[in-house]
Amino acid sequence: MAFARNMYTIDSSSGFVYLFLIYLQGFSPKKMVNPWKTYVKLSAVLMGSHGLTKGSLAFLNYPAQLMFKSTKVLPVMVMGAFIPGLRRKYPAHEYVSAILLVLGLILFTLADAQTSPSFSVIGVIMVIGAVVMDSFLGNLQEVIFNMNPETTQMEMLFCSTVVGLPLLIPPRVLTGEVFEAWNSCSEINFNSSF
């Protein structure tokens, strides 16, 4: 569990570095073409997906998590058919392919549950939640690009990260991760490290 929490801390801390690098590329909020509220839903979904993905590693082994994440094609297809502004239609053979992929996952998961010491239903539920959020994520991004074609990828990345980072604070405080990270950092002796 501590490993998953530390990975989550590292991942979200890299968000600040990421924002700095985007800023160095010349992007600033003055160049935004969409209002901030456009990115609230997107950021909540993005951060929820990251949190559930990283948190599931405390309950699942990495190969099982990777298999689940690779099946997100089916939920993306289904969400794309229902999200206003997209209403995509896919040929039947694409749905059949996606369903076969999911059936393969189910068989893998059943076999893995018998052999893996690091396999839990909680982890499966978490990674399924992450896959569902991922299915919204790509479709929401496409809707934003369709609503305003002047939207840049840089704006999308910058704004979803800026809005999303504060959303990470409450779960970190509730799980004790903030305090664990603080204690880990305070134990580092930088003078002996160099």
Side-chain angles (χ1 to χ4, degrees):
M1 184 85 167
F3 172 76
R5 278 198 215 139
N6 289 337
M7 288 304 296
Y8 190 55
T9 300
I10 291 167
D11 185 50
S12 59
S13 298
S14 65
F16 292 107
V17 173
Y18 194 54
L19 289 173
F20 179 69
L21 292 174
I22 291 171
Y23 180 75
L24 286 179
Q25 289 291 316
F27 183 82
S28 72
K30 293 176 186 173
K31 295 181 180 179
M32 288 176 54
V33 295
N34 294 311
W36 282 102
K37 68 179 183 175
T38 305
Y39 298 102
V40 172
K41 193 184 315 181
L42 179 71
S43 297
V45 170
L46 177 65
M47 296 305 149
S49 172
H50 278 330
L52 289 172
T53 299
K54 302 296 185 221
S56 70
L57 285 174
F59 304 99
L60 287 178
N61 61 25
Y62 186 71
Q65 183 211 45
L66 188 62
M67 288 298 290
F68 271 103
K69 290 291 282 183
S70 61
T71 64
K72 76 178 185 180
V73 65
L74 184 60
V76 168
M77 290 171 72
V78 171
M79 292 301 169
F82 293 107
I83 289 183
L86 292 179
R87 304 271 189 215
R88 287 201 195 108
K89 293 184 180 176
Y90 296 97
H93 72 276
E94 289 189 26
Y95 281 109
V96 170
S97 296
I99 289 169
L100 289 174
L101 178 69
V102 171
L103 288 174
L105 165 75
I106 291 168
L107 293 174
F108 171 82
T109 303
L110 290 174
D112 195 43
Q114 302 299 320
T115 61
S116 175
S118 177
F119 191 90
S120 168
V121 174
I122 295 170
V124 172
I125 292 169
M126 289 175 78
V127 79
I128 288 172
V131 167
V132 169
M133 288 187 165
D134 281 343
S135 71
F136 279 105
L137 185 63
N139 287 311
L140 286 173
Q141 288 173 332
E142 189 169 341
V143 167
I144 291 170
F145 282 123
N146 288 343
M147 283 182 352
N148 192 343
E150 295 176 12
T151 304
T152 64
Q153 289 180 355
M154 199 69 77
E155 176 181 336
M156 181 79 66
L157 295 170
F158 181 83
C159 294
S160 59
T161 305
V162 166
V163 174
L165 283 174
L167 298 175
L168 296 175
I169 294 170
R172 285 198 185 143
V173 170
L174 290 174
T175 61
E177 179 185 347
V178 169
F179 310 111
E180 185 179 318
W182 183 265
N183 290 335
S184 293
C185 290
S186 66
E187 293 173 2
I188 296 173
N189 183 355
F190 288 104
N191 293 331
S192 65
S193 298
F194 299 105

